[in-house]
Amino acid sequence: MRFELCLKLIEIVVMLLKKWGRYQARQELGNGYASKSPTEKIREFCELGVHGSSFAAEERNVPEYLELIDGRIAQLPQNYMTAIRVRFVLQVERGALCSFGFSSVAAFEICLEKAINALLG
């Protein structure tokens, strides 16, 4: 029973990391939850000044669970954060893992597994 519970928790963490990764990838492309593109915001800023638009309020429209996940990931060691980012945000091909500091696919998978377990604990 305990083993099954652990597997279920890992599945939930991976599901949440996938959602977090998709959100982060969209943010990097400028297609996040904000209703205006970065270019539109810059144009408004130039035309209206700082007080003409509410950049901070618009950008903070992030679901709370994504902020919580982001905070937990930020507390992890650097190599764990890199493994999570490579897997869930960048979705890097196995052959390109060396360019992110992993000596092999096995080393990456071990680091990723440790990172997920660290998020559980």
Side-chain angles (χ1 to χ4, degrees):
M1 179 72 161
R2 186 176 171 112
F3 179 72
E4 293 168 355
L5 179 63
C6 284
L7 287 178
K8 190 65 175 170
L9 288 173
I10 290 172
E11 287 177 22
I12 292 169
V13 168
V14 169
M15 178 195 66
L16 290 171
L17 285 171
K18 286 179 182 178
K19 289 181 180 188
W20 174 84
R22 284 191 301 269
Y23 172 78
Q24 292 296 332
R26 282 192 307 266
Q27 288 297 103
E28 289 179 9
L29 293 174
N31 299 325
Y33 287 117
S35 61
K36 297 178 185 171
S37 71
T39 307
E40 178 65 18
K41 290 178 191 176
I42 292 169
R43 184 191 64 75
E44 280 186 0
F45 177 77
C46 291
E47 289 178 2
L48 305 173
V50 176
H51 302 294
S53 182
S54 58
F55 298 114
E58 193 172 328
E59 288 299 323
R60 298 306 302 163
N61 190 16
V62 179
E64 186 177 342
Y65 74 95
L66 290 178
E67 286 183 344
L68 292 172
I69 294 168
D70 202 44
R72 291 282 300 199
I73 291 170
Q75 295 173 352
L76 295 175
Q78 184 64 42
N79 60 333
Y80 289 6
M81 286 191 291
T82 302
I84 288 174
R85 180 169 164 69
V86 164
R87 168 63 176 88
F88 295 103
V89 178
L90 303 175
Q91 299 178 354
V92 172
E93 298 285 327
R94 290 178 174 250
L97 291 172
C98 291
S99 62
F100 290 93
F102 298 102
S103 58
S104 66
V105 173
F108 166 75
E109 290 175 354
I110 290 169
C111 188
L112 181 60
E113 183 177 330
K114 288 181 179 181
I116 291 170
N117 287 332
L119 289 173
L120 283 171

